[in-house]
Amino acid sequence: MSFLYVTEPGSTVAADGNRLQIIREGETLRWVPISKLQQLILIGPIGLTVGARNLCLKHGIDTIFLSSSGAYRGRLIGPLPAYAELRWLQYQQLHNPDFALAFTREIVRGKIVNLRNLLLKRTEPTPATTELRQLATKAAAADSIDVARGYEGRAAALYYNAFGGLITNPDFSFTSRNRQPPRDPLNILLSLGYTILAARVESAIHQTGLDIALGALHLPQNGKPSLALDLMEEFRPSIVDTTVLRCVNLRILRPDDFHSTADSTDYLANAPAEDTDRPLRFQKEALHKYLTQLDNKFLTHVFYPPLAAKLSFRDVILHQVRRFIRALKNEDSYVAFTPHL
């Protein structure tokens, strides 16, 4: 086990020697050896004792706090690697217009290629897939970061307009991407998946000593993990979107797995009103099913060309962060990961 989700509302994570103990209403739900843990994700009103906090900090366990509906709240991490020279190089390179533009071009190109590949795996070629191919070519030659952002925005609009056509389960539908808050089951699945993906990318960045706040495609802002948002773009279709489609089309999830926050049968109905503007939430078992499917995707092995080997998506993410570091050092060019979907 590398990643542990705690989702039972009212649960508390406590320390028991070198294990974490998940307790709810006086009953121990499970024990987890700290040596087998890389990341702890707490979803909803979950307690964390002082002992558990100290144990996680001592062993460098990245601890993520999400709201009941999956919105990111914050994280607890131990001391960061003291890679001052690497960070200084990151600041210099990302303030170099040529480097920042080349990095942005490749992020956008890779994302668009992956969006198009996902559509083509499930549908015949369409005007949208033709335009996506053209946008990928244009992004690779964009003469400014703003122009590249424009291509990315157009590609996202084309993709989400076509996304509903990939759903074969008549019990679900998708008309448009909405967020803050997501207002329907498909958008809830996408938003939570992207949040988990961002957390995994952030974790890989922390391991290498880079600064998550300084990226290129996403403008740096206080409290915004711009580099993580940059590096996660190429993985959105291949990790999150494919998982969402699998859960819906294979009927792993059903419409009644989502309930209005006003519905007293919702398993989080007694939780603190931290997301009163979010109209839908997962049923308890549905959340577990989705997180299991998402974890399975992170562990899925795919061919990784730079090493000519099959790696899990989890390891590919770390290798892509390291490839970015080699690009910072002018040892290699950054090339987005574009698997065959």
Side-chain angles (χ1 to χ4, degrees), residues 238-288:
S238 52
I239 294 179
V240 177
D241 299 9
T242 55
T243 301
V244 170
L245 291 171
R246 173 181 172 81
C247 287
V248 170
N249 290 341
L250 296 185
R251 291 173 166 77
I252 295 169
L253 297 175
R254 304 182 309 272
D256 60 6
D257 284 325
F258 303 86
H259 284 267
S260 166
T261 54
D263 189 338
S264 61
T265 63
D266 182 354
Y267 94 107
L268 291 177
N270 295 323
E274 55 182 334
D275 287 310
T276 53
D277 61 337
R278 293 176 179 254
L280 290 177
R281 292 184 184 173
F282 285 95
Q283 281 280 52
K284 171 183 171 182
E285 292 304 322
L287 179 58
H288 292 170

Side-chain angles (χ1 to χ4, degrees), residues 180-313:
Q180 299 179 348
R183 297 184 292 275
D184 55 80
L186 268 297
N187 277 291
I188 288 173
L189 292 170
L190 290 171
S191 290
L192 177 57
Y194 295 151
T195 299
I196 298 296
L197 173 60
R200 297 289 177 90
V201 174
E202 278 194 47
S203 180
I205 292 171
H206 283 305
Q207 289 180 50
T208 64
L210 291 167
D211 188 337
I212 65 169
L214 186 59
L217 174 63
H218 295 85
L219 290 172
Q221 296 177 11
N222 288 336
K224 184 176 181 178
S226 297
L227 181 59
L229 297 177
D230 283 0
L231 291 172
M232 72 177 277
E233 290 293 348
E234 64 204 61
F235 294 103
R236 287 177 183 257
S238 52
I239 294 179
V240 177
D241 299 9
T242 55
T243 301
V244 170
L245 291 171
R246 173 181 172 81
C247 287
V248 170
N249 290 341
L250 296 185
R251 291 173 166 77
I252 295 169
L253 297 175
R254 304 182 309 272
D256 60 6
D257 284 325
F258 303 86
H259 284 267
S260 166
T261 54
D263 189 338
S264 61
T265 63
D266 182 354
Y267 94 107
L268 291 177
N270 295 323
E274 55 182 334
D275 287 310
T276 53
D277 61 337
R278 293 176 179 254
L280 290 177
R281 292 184 184 173
F282 285 95
Q283 281 280 52
K284 171 183 171 182
E285 292 304 322
L287 179 58
H288 292 170
K289 289 177 183 177
Y290 180 54
L291 294 176
T292 297
Q293 291 296 320
L294 198 56
D295 263 358
N296 289 342
K297 177 58 72 172
F298 279 109
L299 296 175
T300 298
H301 282 67
V302 290
F303 183 73
Y304 186 62
L307 298 181
K310 282 194 170 184
L311 302 179
S312 68
F313 271 113

Side-chain angles (χ1 to χ4, degrees), residues 66-87:
L66 305 182
S67 72
S68 298
S69 60
Y72 180 78
R73 289 289 180 255
R75 73 194 312 133
L76 174 70
I77 57 175
L80 297 175
Y83 296 148
E85 290 185 3
L86 177 60
R87 289 194 170 200

Side-chain angles (χ1 to χ4, degrees), residues 33 67 114 150 204 206-207 286 308 330 338 340:
S67 72
N114 288 337
H206 283 305
Q207 289 180 50
N330 294 319
T338 53
H340 294 291

Side-chain angles (χ1 to χ4, degrees), residues 8 18 23 32 39 45 66 84 88 100 104 142 158 192 218 243 280 306 327:
E8 289 283 354
N18 282 322
I23 306 169
V32 179
Q39 190 174 69
L66 305 182
W88 177 242
T104 301
L158 286 168
L192 177 57
H218 295 85
T243 301
L280 290 177

Side-chain angles (χ1 to χ4, degrees), residues 14-78:
D16 179 22
N18 282 322
R19 302 184 298 179
L20 289 180
Q21 183 181 19
I22 315 302
I23 306 169
R24 185 171 184 267
E25 296 180 352
E27 177 185 358
T28 297
L29 303 180
R30 67 188 306 182
W31 284 277
V32 179
I34 199 72
S35 61
K36 294 186 177 180
L37 198 59
Q38 179 182 342
Q39 190 174 69
L40 174 65
I41 302 100
L42 309 180
I43 302 179
I46 310 296
L48 185 70
T49 69
V50 172
R53 181 194 66 195
N54 291 340
L55 189 63
C56 288
L57 288 172
K58 177 181 177 181
H59 290 270
I61 307 303
D62 188 22
T63 303
I64 309 296
F65 299 89
L66 305 182
S67 72
S68 298
S69 60
Y72 180 78
R73 289 289 180 255
R75 73 194 312 133
L76 174 70
I77 57 175

